């Protein structure tokens, strides 16, 4: 009788236990969720790794170096589009050059401490 009860317990555990047949679907769903999280985290790691590589002085991106140098030196290429900004408001001054006189432009340039 005890042997029959033990076999019944083993049969029940094989079907309904933590690692039984019915729990298999839940385990497979958990595995898929963890794989999705792992791939999302790997993409984030790759993004941070790329950003970190851009900061390495031995592997600087020439475009970023050129952009930063031109910004620091207040220089521009002939094909660049420049937007003049009012230093007080931070808004563009105007798209029409006729609205400003030479003295107004000189005053704006002289008031900007960066130039």
């Amino acid at each position: 009788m005890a042997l029959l009860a033990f076999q019944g317990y083993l049969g029940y555990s094989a079907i309904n236990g933590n690692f039984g047949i019915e729990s298999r679907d839940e385990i497979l769903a958990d595995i898929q969720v963890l794989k999705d999280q792992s791939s999302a985290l790997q993409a984030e790691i790759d993004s941070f790794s790329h950003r970190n590589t851009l900061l390495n002085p031995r592997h600087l991106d020439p475009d970023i170096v050129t952009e930063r140098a031109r910004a620091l030196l207040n220089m521009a290429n002939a094909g660049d589009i420049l937007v003049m900004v009012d230093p007080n408001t931070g808004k563009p001054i105007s798209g029409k050059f006729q609205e400003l006189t030479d003295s107004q432009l000189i005053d704006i340039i002289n008031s900007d401490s960066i130039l």
Side-chain angles (χ1 to χ4, degrees):
M1 196 62 145
L3 186 57
L4 187 60
F6 184 66
Q7 287 178 346
Y9 171 74
L10 289 178
Y12 176 79
S13 293
I15 294 174
N16 295 324
N18 288 340
F19 301 104
I21 295 171
E22 293 183 4
S23 297
R24 183 175 187 268
D25 294 335
E26 293 175 15
I27 292 172
L28 292 176
D30 290 343
I31 289 172
Q32 186 61 38
V33 167
L34 291 173
K35 282 183 180 179
D36 293 342
Q37 288 177 353
S38 174
S39 63
L41 290 173
Q42 187 61 43
E44 189 174 351
I45 288 170
D46 292 342
S47 172
F48 283 122
S49 175
H50 177 68
R51 288 181 182 180
N52 190 21
T53 303
L54 291 176
L55 295 175
N56 187 352
R58 293 182 182 170
H59 303 291
L60 289 176
D61 185 16
D63 293 333
I64 293 175
V65 171
T66 304
E67 176 185 343
R68 293 302 303 149
R70 288 171 48 199
L72 290 172
L73 298 173
N74 290 325
M75 306 206 62
N77 284 334
D80 289 346
I81 297 174
L82 301 177
V83 178
M84 294 187 70
V85 177
D86 183 8
N88 299 325
T89 63
K91 294 182 180 179
I93 294 173
S94 175
K96 299 177 183 176
F97 294 111
Q98 292 80 16
E99 292 180 5
L100 297 174
T101 64
D102 291 340
S103 62
Q104 289 173 327
L105 286 173
I106 292 171
D107 290 340
I108 291 171
I109 292 171
N110 289 335
S111 69
D112 191 7
S113 63
I114 296 173
L115 294 175

